Amino acid sequence: MSTQIYKYFLFISSLFTTGFFFAQTSVTGKISDAKTNKDLTGVSIFINDKTAAALTTTSSQFTVSSDTVIYKIRFERKNYASFEVTAIENNLQIKLSPEKESAIAEVVIQNTKPKYKNKKENPAYAIMQEVWKRKRNNGLEKFDSYSYKEYEKIQFDANNIDSAFMNRKVFNKLDFIFDYADSTANGTMALPVFLNESIYENYGLNKPSKKTKKLLTAQKTSGFQDNQVVAITAKNLYRDINIYDNTLNYFDIGFQSPVSTDGFSTYDYQLSDTISISGNRAYRIRYEPRRKDVLAFQGYLYIDTETYAVLGATLRSTSKISVNFINSIYTELEYSNPDDETFLPKKLVTQIELTPFSKKKNSKSLLAKRSVNYSDYQFNKPLADEIFIRKEEEYDAKFVEKNDEFWTAARPDSLSKQEKGVYEMLEKLQQTPKFNRIVKLYETLASRYYNVKKGIDLGPITSIYGKNEVEGDRIRIGARTYFTQNDPWRIEFYNAYGFKDQQFKYGVEGRYMFNRVNRFMIGGGTKRDITQLGVQLTTEDGILSRSFASSTVFARGENASLSSVIQTSFFTSVEPWKNFQVRVDGTIQSIKSANPEDFNLMYYRNGDLRKTVNDSRVTISLIARPGAKFSQTGVDRYEHSTLAPTIVLKYTRGIEGLFNADFNYNKLQFMFYKPMLLGSWGKTFLNFEAGKNFDTVPLALQNIIPANQSYGLVPNTFAQLNYYEFVADTYSTLHIEHHFNGKILSFIPLIKKLKLREVAFIRGAYGTLSDASKNINVDNLKYSAPDQQIYYEY
């Protein structure tokens, strides 16, 4: 008897519990006018704190549902005061009251866009003028100290899938994945294929000294944990957006901001009405570009009627967006405004549609969506100095591993049914050999290495074949150790063979990192190979740094000026501060011409004619990358695309007599590189280099103004020069290259349909070469410097 009573009790309890949770996720009711009791339609219903309406009613009766618990509902209708309910129950009886007249004398809603004689007649212009007068800055800069939490979610969906796509042979034995597909807002089908969640703790100090720290405290990824290629690609798509900036950065391409002080030159603005946002009255201003084929957006601005602060904004690209592989961009921004001078980011959502094959509206594409929630702002609270100290455990992969209970509590909103399905689907897929083969193919193409077994990669696959005048056809086979993306050590080697000179070449290098925090590292290696010297001024150190020996597969003229190099090198490096590296290299090398009949490297030393240069040197390099962002914490790391500058200062000391070295010499070099956005006019790359050899050295150790005999653009080289055409003891070069991204050609009818891109550049070099440096070489009359006038190309 007691057992039966217990069963009935469980049954009744379950019914009660089910009803309770249903009431929290689905709500019904009726909406009417508070004065006349007439039924109201066209009411926008907002769930919780979301800025997008869950429903716009077509009758007085409504039902709204959510995958998450509903704790607040807001009702908004034109000419009615916003109404909010926090006591959630079914059969709500909502009474909306007519709203008092706003501060605007008259708002006329028209089906057609009104025409104004000038912008001053446009009421939106007066509002935007007030916004510009009160242009706000990020509030984090005004406090002595601050901290806040950041939750980031990135999801990839395969979009526009259909039955024909599902029935392709490639999905044989993988068809269960389509059980997780769902319809999108525009009626197409989308299949979630990737989900990444990250939680950061941000700390900042403005006084007495400026310090910042962004600490990744938790991360969860649906599959791909071992290779992170997809995760890196996803995070590299996005940039931080500030609506108050004149230029918004997407993919390091400048888009005109609708809040720009020069916005009226790009956009048409129309005041549509006033609404309530989070209890604040706001002007809703629609904006759209005057020309559809420029890098600009269309959407709405929500401006506070009293303070003229931007409460929120939507930015949607036009249908004629001209960005490679991008079909559309959509962004939602939401801000809180603590005072009249500052704002704080509250929420950011950006969705990008990637179309690698076709830009047609119904073509197969990839939807990449990123949402960021900012919360728990705290200001002017003491922050211990140890918070800003980088710790070893913060770089351990286990530091960000959290259980499901943690994620349930940490998420600002619970995952939707579709998002939960991503984790479940990927777990099943990883047990499918066919899927693993597809992933392996993608990883091979992206990394240029093919994994043959645990810990061993073959590659780079792009270096297998080459050709040059000395070696003829050249085959190169290489490999590396690779266990995870965070390996503290790595060994790489290669063997190469030239079918014309019938010589084997080789290279091997090993590196070990002792500390992930300051990246204290040592390494060494040796190689024997054919190399094209003189293609870089501020050269990369390292045995396996890029070689240009086989870069003449498609090139102008003949390249016979190759060198045979035997080199052994050791290095140590450390980052005492973030993005600032100190590196010391010790190198022993011998250099001679690889083609003595056509290229002479012979020189005089103490009256003797020599054909091989023996060199022993020590190089100290200081490398600063302020603002650069990296993924991975091992010996190799991936750098995200940013506008961070690169600043390099190098001092090289040649030591005569050390391992039979021939020369004492001192060399000083400096390099500055910076990409910059010039508003919506495109992107500029600036590179300045300068250096000086303080002593007399032969051609093999001299500064060569870099030439480019290939048919492609090679950064920081001169396309009209041949190798070794200009040689200098003292040199300076400047390269300015600007990409207009189609800005100019978009004004020309017909031609603009070709989607061509314009690139403009000017390059200059100036240098001097002493008589002693000329005379030391056998072909002393052959070498000269651009010292009579600046050599330039444009």
Side-chain angles (χ1 to χ4, degrees):
M1 184 66 179
S2 60
T3 302
Q4 291 286 64
I5 294 173
Y6 179 71
K7 289 180 177 179
Y8 282 122
F9 174 78
L10 285 179
F11 175 71
I12 294 171
S13 299
S14 65
L15 286 178
F16 175 80
T17 304
T18 302
F20 174 77
F21 281 105
F22 178 79
Q24 304 302 300
T25 59
S26 180
V27 179
T28 61
K30 182 179 179 181
I31 310 172
S32 59
D33 188 294
K35 288 185 176 181
T36 64
N37 288 323
K38 289 183 178 180
D39 293 345
L40 290 179
T41 62
V43 179
S44 297
I45 303 177
F46 299 81
I47 295 175
N48 300 337
D49 293 314
K50 294 184 178 179
T51 57
L55 172 70
T56 299
T57 64
T58 56
S59 70
S60 62
Q61 303 285 341
F62 70 88
T63 300
V64 289
S65 302
S66 173
D67 292 331
T68 61
V69 174
I70 299 176
Y71 56 84
K72 181 169 61 177
I73 303 179
R74 188 173 75 258
F75 301 84
E76 293 185 359
R77 188 181 189 276
K78 182 175 171 290
N79 297 330
Y80 283 82
S82 176
F83 187 77
E84 194 172 275
V85 177
T86 55
I88 306 303
E89 59 183 17
N90 272 328
N91 299 319
L92 289 172
Q93 299 299 312
I94 305 301
K95 304 286 186 179
L96 297 185
S97 300
E99 190 176 27
K100 295 180 180 180
E101 292 184 3
S102 69
I104 300 177
E106 182 180 7
V107 177
V108 180
I109 309 300
Q110 298 178 336
N111 292 327
T112 59
K113 185 169 66 175
K115 295 182 179 180
Y116 302 102
K117 293 181 180 179
N118 56 66
K119 62 185 179 182
K120 293 183 179 180
E121 291 185 358
N122 187 346
Y125 179 71
I127 296 172
M128 295 307 298
Q129 275 191 314
E130 296 298 328
V131 174
W132 300 330
K133 288 179 185 177
R134 298 165 170 81
K135 184 175 180 179
R136 299 178 177 224
N137 300 310
N138 195 313
L140 300 179
E141 300 296 326
K142 67 174 294 185
F143 300 102
D144 293 347
S145 65
Y146 60 86
S147 65
Y148 64 95
K149 290 184 179 179
E150 182 179 336
Y151 168 80
E152 178 190 61
K153 180 169 61 180
I154 297 176
Q155 180 174 335
F156 278 9
D157 292 349
N159 192 35
N160 288 326
I161 62 176
D162 51 28
S163 57
F165 180 78
M166 297 178 187
N167 292 328
R168 291 183 178 178
K169 289 184 179 181
V170 70
F171 297 111
N172 184 29
K173 297 182 180 180
L174 300 176
D175 53 349
F176 67 87
I177 66 177
F178 297 111
D179 295 337
Y180 298 91
D182 201 357
S183 58
T184 62
N186 58 9
T188 60
M189 292 292 290
L191 174 68
V193 294
F194 173 79
L195 183 65
N196 174 272
E197 296 179 273
S198 302
I199 295 178
Y200 302 90
E201 291 180 358
N202 292 273
Y203 302 95
L205 199 65
N206 293 319
K207 294 180 181 179
S209 60
K210 195 172 184 65
K211 297 178 182 179
T212 60
K213 184 173 184 179
K214 184 174 184 177
L215 177 62
L216 177 65
T217 58
Q219 183 166 262
K220 186 176 184 180
T221 303
S222 59
F224 308 106
Q225 287 92 340
D226 292 336
N227 195 294
Q228 293 290 304
V229 172
V230 178
I232 291 170
T233 303
K235 290 180 180 291
N236 200 31
L237 282 173
Y238 304 98
R239 308 288 184 270
D240 294 329
I241 299 298
N242 177 358
I243 195 67
Y244 286 96
D245 288 341
N246 288 331
T247 303
L248 303 180
N249 183 355
Y250 285 81
F251 328 110
D252 290 336
I253 296 175
F255 287 72
Q256 186 85 40
S257 170
V259 185
S260 165
T261 53
D262 194 32
F264 270 82
S265 65
T266 302
Y267 296 104
D268 284 327
Y269 296 83
Q270 180 184 352
L271 177 63
S272 48
D273 59 4
T274 58
I275 63 173
S276 177
I277 296 182
S278 302
N280 298 310
R281 299 300 301 158
Y283 299 118
R284 182 165 69 169
I285 297 177
R286 176 172 173 76
Y287 67 93
E288 58 184 6
R290 295 175 179 270
R291 297 174 55 245
K292 299 295 184 182
D293 43 17
V294 298
L295 294 175
F297 294 103
Q298 57 191 7
Y300 289 94
L301 297 174
Y302 300 93
I303 311 297
D304 191 288
T305 58
E306 295 183 2
T307 65
Y308 295 95
V310 178
L311 300 178
T314 61
L315 303 95
R316 187 185 299 277
S317 59
T318 66
S319 59
K320 295 185 179 181
I321 181 174
S322 183
V323 178
N324 293 340
F325 310 117
I326 303 297
N327 207 25
S328 67
I329 306 169
Y330 177 73
T331 295
E332 289 183 15
L333 298 165
E334 188 176 343
Y335 297 104
S336 61
N337 296 273
D339 55 49
D340 291 340
E341 297 178 350
T342 58
F343 71 89
L344 294 173
K346 190 175 180 181
K347 190 172 185 179
L348 165 66
V349 178
T350 296
Q351 180 171 287
I352 301 168
E353 185 177 10
L354 306 168
T355 54
F357 305 112
S358 172
K359 299 194 75 169
K360 294 181 179 179
K361 187 174 182 180
N362 59 350
S363 63
K364 304 297 179 292
S365 60
L366 195 66
L367 290 179
K369 182 178 180 181
R370 175 185 183 240
S371 60
V372 184
N373 290 78
Y374 305 91
S375 62
D376 296 347
Y377 282 103
Q378 296 187 30
F379 304 109
N380 293 334
K381 289 191 175 182
L383 296 176
D385 290 339
E386 62 182 21
I387 289 178
F388 299 96
I389 298 175
R390 294 181 291 170
K391 303 178 179 65
E392 179 75 19
E393 60 268 20
E394 296 171 1
Y395 293 81
D396 195 313
K398 293 182 179 179
F399 183 74
V400 297
E401 292 180 358
K402 309 294 180 183
N403 56 31
D404 291 339
E405 290 77 13
F406 170 87
W407 284 105
T408 301
R411 294 183 182 109
D413 294 311
S414 59
L415 294 180
S416 66
K417 180 180 178 181
Q418 185 187 34
E419 291 168 337
K420 292 177 182 176
V422 182
Y423 288 118
E424 182 180 332
M425 181 186 70
L426 264 295
E427 288 179 6
K428 292 181 180 179
L429 278 174
Q430 286 184 309
Q431 301 172 14
T432 308
K434 188 172 186 178
F435 172 76
N436 290 327
R437 289 195 295 270
I438 295 173
V439 172
K440 189 171 184 177
L441 175 62
Y442 172 76
E443 292 174 349
T444 299
L445 295 175
S447 67
R448 303 183 300 126
Y449 282 87
Y450 178 79
N451 179 253
V452 291
K453 59 182 295 186
K454 181 66 175 178
I456 301 295
D457 286 353
L458 293 180
I461 57 176
T462 52
S463 300
I464 292 177
Y465 174 77
K467 187 176 182 178
N468 59 59
E469 294 294 323
V470 173
E471 297 175 286
D473 296 309
R474 168 189 168 104
I475 300 297
R476 182 185 188 276
I477 303 296
R480 69 177 183 180
T481 60
Y482 192 101
F483 295 91
T484 73
Q485 71 272 15
N486 295 319
D487 288 344
W489 61 277
R490 184 147 294 146
I491 297 174
E492 301 177 70
F493 74 92
Y494 73 88
N495 284 295
Y497 181 77
F499 289 90
K500 184 177 179 179
D501 66 350
Q502 298 182 348
Q503 294 290 322
F504 282 98
K505 294 88 180 176
Y506 63 85
V508 60
E509 183 178 47
R511 291 168 292 154
Y512 184 83
M513 185 168 63
F514 293 92
N515 189 302
R516 297 181 191 273
V517 178
N518 57 25
R519 297 188 63 80
F520 173 48
M521 195 183 312
I522 62 171
T526 185
K527 74 174 180 181
R528 176 186 181 273
D529 207 346
I530 303 297
T531 302
Q532 177 64 68
L533 300 177
V535 292
Q536 292 175 299
L537 284 168
T538 310
T539 57
E540 298 179 12
D541 295 298
I543 290 295
L544 299 187
S545 58
R546 182 181 176 187
S547 171
F548 292 84
S550 58
S551 62
T552 56
V553 179
F554 301 104
R556 60 176 176 82
E558 294 184 356
N559 177 22
S561 54
L562 293 168
S563 300
S564 177
V565 178
I566 301 175
Q567 183 182 95
T568 299
S569 181
F570 298 92
F571 81 91
T572 182
S573 67
V574 67
E575 287 190 2
W577 304 284
K578 184 178 180 181
N579 291 345
F580 181 80
Q581 180 186 28
V582 179
R583 176 174 172 133
V584 179
D585 288 83
T587 302
I588 306 166
Q589 61 180 346
S590 64
I591 306 171
K592 65 180 181 179
S593 173
N595 185 19
E597 294 180 359
D598 299 314
F599 176 54
N600 193 346
L601 278 180
M602 298 179 71
Y603 64 99
Y604 295 101
R605 182 173 183 268
N606 298 328
D608 296 330
L609 187 62
R610 304 282 297 273
K611 67 178 181 178
T612 300
V613 176
N614 295 314
D615 176 41
S616 297
R617 68 188 186 202
V618 176
T619 301
I620 302 174
S621 303
L622 306 179
I623 306 169
R625 298 296 321 284
K629 296 181 179 180
F630 300 92
S631 293
Q632 306 170 1
T633 59
V635 289
D636 293 318
R637 55 183 180 177
Y638 176 88
E639 182 177 353
H640 295 272
S641 296
T642 65
L643 299 177
T646 300
I647 305 169
V648 179
L649 181 64
K650 298 182 69 170
Y651 169 71
T652 302
R653 168 67 176 172
I655 306 173
E656 184 180 5
L658 182 63
F659 297 102
N660 298 317
D662 298 326
F663 294 94
N664 272 323
Y665 62 91
N666 298 274
K667 180 190 287 190
L668 190 64
Q669 294 175 289
F670 172 79
M671 185 189 78
F672 175 82
Y673 167 79
K674 179 75 171 76
M676 299 175 290
L677 292 182
L678 297 185
S680 60
W681 281 94
K683 185 177 181 179
T684 294
F685 299 89
L686 173 68
N687 191 90
F688 173 75
E689 295 183 75
K692 181 176 179 62
N693 256 335
F694 293 88
D695 303 278
T696 301
V697 293
L699 183 63
L701 301 179
Q702 197 54 273
N703 302 309
I704 315 300
I705 304 301
N708 173 21
Q709 293 187 195
S710 74
Y711 289 122
L713 286 174
V714 178
N716 309 323
T717 61
F718 292 86
Q720 296 298 305
L721 290 182
N722 295 321
Y723 297 120
Y724 292 93
E725 189 166 345
F726 281 137
V727 182
D729 291 317
T730 303
Y731 67 86
S732 60
T733 65
L734 178 66
H735 296 255
I736 302 175
E737 182 177 302
H738 185 77
H739 294 243
F740 288 91
N741 297 319
K743 177 80 171 182
I744 298 175
L745 295 179
S746 66
F747 286 93
I748 305 176
L750 298 180
I751 290 181
K752 65 183 181 181
K753 294 182 180 295
L754 299 176
K755 306 293 185 183
L756 297 176
R757 304 289 190 265
E758 320 90 331
V759 178
F761 61 84
I762 184 167
R763 311 164 179 150
Y766 180 81
T768 59
L769 184 65
S770 67
D771 291 338
S773 294
K774 291 179 182 179
N775 295 333
I776 195 174
N777 298 297
V778 172
D779 288 350
N780 59 80
L781 298 178
K782 181 179 178 181
Y783 304 109
S784 62
D787 55 356
Q788 299 301 313
Q789 62 182 20
I790 295 175
Y791 173 79
Y792 62 92
E793 302 175 351
Y794 62 91

